Amino acid sequence: MGLMAPDLPVVDMEQWSKGTRSERIRPMARHWAEVGFGTPVVMHLFYVVKILLYILGGWLFALATSGVDGFTEVGSWWSEPIVFEKVVLYTMLFEVVGLGCGFGPLNNRFFPPMGSILYWLRPHTIRLPPWPGRIPLTRGDNRSPVDIALYAALLVLLVWALLSDGTGPVPELDTTVGLLPVWQIAAILGVLAVLGLRDKVIFLAARGEVYGSLAVAFLFAGADVVVGAKLVFLVIWVGAATSKLNRHFPFVISTMMSNSPLVRPRAIKRRFFEKFPDDLRPGRWSRVVAHTSTAIEMLVPLVLFFSGGGWLTTVAAVVMVIFHLGILTAIPMGVPLEWNVFMIFGMATLFVGHADLGLGDLNHPVPVAALFLVLVGTVITGNLMPRKVSFLPGMRYYAGNWDTTLWCVRPSASQKIGAGVVAIAGMPQAQLERYYGKDRAQIPLYLGYAFRSMNTHGRALFTLAHRAMADGREEDYTITDGERICSTAIGWNFGDGHMHNEQLIAALQKRCRFEPGEVRVVLLDGQPIHRQEQEYRLVDAATGEFERGVVRVDDMVTRQPWDDTVPVHVEQ
């Protein structure tokens, strides 16, 4: 891994280019197992600086509060409830502007390194309403001045709240500074809700399932604010752990450890696989880490919630700090870095700074219970019916079990997308060629294929790609991960196939008028927690769905990353 240059695989381009897609993925998968994406050190340092700037921003907004004083006197104010409120709203702002998850080159964003605000303040970009046929005034997929005004209003309200003072003493919370005015929280939630009904992408980008849910807890009074926020954290942790009770998660661990900048020796990285270089299924180390981290995420938060202070709370808090630092330092794809910093700070504030507050201190348990039940119900629904619920509100973070898509695009279709879609970023292939050069761009492209194939669903996606292109020559298509199409078309992506499913296909068809066969899309649903199979659909952008069926989890987890012969069970 170089300081400035990426550590890419060395292949004989002439010979390598003659191989099948499976044959070309094989050396890339082996390289990934030992090196990861080969990101230069300077790029990791860039993200470290970004994290430090995020922390500095939160620090300064906290100090903008009357009664919170002293840049270096953090010990006197870090556990103030209003500081936690501001950190929540500041992180929501950070995310919804586009500086958080999905930012920069580690998410394949080069020119520019972000979308979000650059798209959502621009007329005629694509928006994706969640229920256009059910919610009045949400039909359509074109961003209007109303949508832009709503987004701008959200930004203004968040900044306003961040610069506001507290409402005065709250004895139950042992604070003389107080909390943010409830009307400000209600205004932010109201605008976020209306905006989310007009465009689900912005709601997801704001991480509404985390920061929106916590903001709902801020509508409560007294101790209910802290206890409600604790319950939100509990659902996040336990919900995420529940989603990892599957056969996919060890594959996430082996892939993430290979890409970790802290796991440097190649000999150690190889130990995370069954038998490098021929068997790249997760090895014992990956299974141990997967099962241990799932147990920690499931059980330790319960200790935090019910221990009520003392040495047990301290030990549990230290374990959770180590847990989130483990994720953070691995620099996972999608780069949810600031989220992990936030979770550490929030855990410390709520469960250490206010360890004494629990269910027995609630003044109005009904609204708190309602919030808890809505969140739990969403998690349960997301695990049972993953096609219906995004993996973000479903709390299925990094479980290796997500809705995914693979787009088979002819050059003529790429030109139509470039000409017909209002976008800031170019098509993924063009961005790679600009950064790496036309010839060498195939290497990072296939490294991306290898990353997808290192996860179980990749085997199924590339198997189904053959079927999607069955009536044409495969060499006429460029296979592009749906994440990259999503990034170009709507300005934000974070591993969520719900943003590049039939709804986005229809929006692009409306603008680009593809001919039959120009764009073929493989859509693979996540695995329902109670079934060992995943449903798929094959869709032609011009003519619609032409095949559906299932692939079985057992057939995916027993294959190598380059094996694109997963048995397919077509629905009759």
Side-chain angles (χ1 to χ4, degrees):
M1 190 181 298
L3 176 64
M4 300 294 293
D7 186 352
L8 297 178
V10 177
V11 296
D12 183 327
M13 289 295 294
E14 183 178 356
Q15 290 299 317
W16 178 76
S17 299
K18 294 177 181 178
T20 64
R21 185 171 63 247
S22 173
E23 291 167 342
R24 281 180 279 176
I25 287 176
R26 185 186 296 247
M28 301 298 141
R30 288 171 172 168
H31 181 83
W32 185 285
E34 289 191 295
V35 178
F37 202 69
T39 306
V41 172
V42 69
M43 197 62 67
H44 288 134
L45 294 176
F46 165 78
Y47 279 93
V48 170
V49 171
K50 187 168 83 78
I51 292 170
L52 294 176
L53 290 175
Y54 161 76
I55 294 172
L56 176 62
W59 206 308
L60 294 177
F61 276 123
L63 291 171
T65 311
S66 178
V68 175
D69 302 303
F71 186 86
T72 59
E73 298 176 13
V74 183
S76 66
W77 53 261
W78 69 273
S79 61
E80 281 284 346
I82 195 172
V83 171
F84 176 69
E85 287 185 314
K86 287 197 171 188
V87 169
V88 169
L89 299 183
Y90 164 65
T91 311
M92 180 190 289
L93 176 66
F94 195 87
E95 296 284 358
V96 82
V97 165
L99 295 172
C101 299
F103 177 91
L106 293 188
N107 199 47
N108 280 334
R109 284 188 175 276
F110 300 102
F111 309 104
M114 58 183 282
S116 303
I117 192 171
L118 303 178
Y119 280 69
W120 302 332
L121 288 178
R122 186 171 183 176
H124 307 302
T125 51
I126 294 174
R127 66 179 181 88
L128 301 177
W131 303 292
R134 300 179 184 178
I135 306 298
L137 305 178
T138 64
R139 288 183 181 273
D141 53 32
N142 194 56
R143 196 169 313 280
S144 70
V146 172
D147 302 296
I148 294 170
L150 284 168
Y151 178 64
L154 177 65
L155 302 184
V156 170
L157 287 169
L158 285 168
V159 173
W160 190 348
L162 290 171
L163 296 175
S164 297
D165 294 328
T167 53
V170 182
E172 287 180 77
L173 299 178
D174 193 27
T175 176
T176 58
V177 178
L179 300 166
L180 287 172
V182 171
W183 73 265
Q184 290 185 346
I185 304 299
I188 289 169
L189 287 170
V191 171
L192 179 63
V194 174
L195 186 57
L197 291 173
R198 295 275 301 174
D199 188 357
K200 65 185 179 185
V201 177
I202 297 180
F203 179 86
L204 295 172
R207 300 301 303 275
E209 87 285 359
V210 174
Y211 311 117
S213 299
L214 289 167
V216 171
F218 299 161
L219 296 175
F220 305 149
D224 295 8
V225 173
V226 169
V227 178
K230 284 185 177 185
L231 287 169
V232 172
F233 267 65
L234 190 64
V235 173
I236 292 171
W237 280 319
V238 176
T242 301
S243 73
K244 295 178 176 110
L245 300 174
N246 62 45
R247 302 174 70 186
H248 310 277
F249 187 48
F251 291 80
V252 175
I253 294 297
S254 60
T255 305
M256 190 166 67
M257 289 299 100
S258 294
N259 198 44
S260 171
L262 296 187
V263 182
R264 300 297 295 276
R266 296 190 178 196
I268 293 179
K269 293 188 177 188
R270 292 171 186 161
R271 297 294 297 272
F272 284 95
F273 297 92
E274 198 67 57
K275 190 177 181 180
F276 180 90
D278 298 317
D279 189 348
L280 297 188
R281 293 174 301 165
R284 180 180 299 175
W285 283 20
S286 294
R287 294 192 296 272
V288 168
V289 172
H291 300 326
T292 302
S293 60
T294 301
I296 288 171
E297 196 171 24
M298 177 77 73
L299 301 175
V300 174
L302 295 173
V303 176
L304 277 174
F305 189 83
F306 290 108
S307 58
W311 68 268
L312 195 57
T313 297
T314 301
V315 171
V318 170
V319 170
M320 292 310 294
V321 168
I322 295 171
F323 173 83
H324 281 287
L325 285 177
I327 302 172
L328 177 66
T329 55
I331 315 287
M333 302 297 282
V335 287
L337 307 179
E338 291 79 17
W339 176 79
N340 280 283
V341 174
F342 166 79
M343 290 298 289
I344 291 172
F345 175 78
M347 181 273 299
T349 300
L350 297 173
F351 296 94
V352 178
H354 297 278
D356 57 319
L357 293 178
L359 296 176
D361 299 293
L362 288 173
N363 297 306
H364 301 92
V366 173
V368 177
L371 171 61
F372 177 74
L373 291 174
V374 168
L375 294 176
V376 170
T378 304
V379 170
I380 292 172
T381 305
N383 278 286
L384 293 175
M385 295 180 285
R387 190 189 300 182
K388 300 294 185 182
V389 181
S390 160
F391 88 105
L392 291 173
M395 310 294 180
R396 292 182 287 122
Y397 309 139
Y398 283 87
N401 177 29
W402 316 289
D403 292 61
T404 53
T405 70
L406 205 62
W407 292 54
C408 309
V409 182
R410 286 181 171 169
S412 57
S414 291
Q415 293 174 2
K416 289 180 179 179
I417 292 173
V421 176
V422 178
I424 304 297
M427 285 291 283
Q429 183 76 7
Q431 291 200 49
L432 288 173
E433 290 178 0
R434 180 179 174 186
Y435 189 77
Y436 291 99
K438 187 174 181 63
D439 293 335
R440 295 291 291 173
Q442 286 294 304
I443 299 295
L445 177 67
Y446 269 80
L447 268 177
Y449 293 169
F451 162 74
R452 185 58 74 187
S453 295
M454 297 292 275
N455 292 282
T456 53
H457 52 258
R459 285 96 155 149
L461 287 171
F462 286 109
T463 296
L464 293 166
H466 291 303
R467 302 178 68 84
M469 300 179 288
D471 57 354
R473 297 192 310 165
E474 292 197 17
E475 57 267 28
D476 292 340
Y477 291 89
T478 296
I479 294 181
T480 303
D481 198 297
E483 288 293 290
R484 308 283 76 82
I485 297 289
C486 183
S487 171
T488 296
I490 63 178
W492 190 76
N493 62 288
F494 189 51
D496 189 354
H498 287 82
M499 295 188 294
H500 35 96
N501 58 13
E502 286 93 343
Q503 191 177 19
L504 180 59
I505 296 171
L508 290 176
Q509 177 64 19
K510 175 181 174 182
R511 289 160 173 79
C512 303
R513 300 188 181 280
F514 303 117
E515 295 295 325
E518 271 194 302
V519 176
R520 292 287 181 86
V521 185
V522 179
L523 301 101
L524 182 65
D525 292 343
Q527 177 208 334
I529 198 169
H530 60 299
R531 293 168 52 195
Q532 291 297 308
E533 61 184 24
Q534 294 177 237
E535 296 181 357
Y536 77 87
R537 304 176 303 287
L538 304 182
V539 174
D540 185 294
T543 61
E545 181 182 309
F546 60 91
E547 181 179 305
R548 66 169 51 208
V550 300
V551 289
R552 294 187 177 133
V553 173
D554 188 60
D555 293 325
M556 292 185 276
V557 300
T558 55
R559 280 173 162 73
Q560 299 302 317
W562 50 83
D563 188 340
D564 55 3
T565 61
V566 175
V568 175
H569 306 275
V570 180
E571 184 177 293
Q572 300 299 326

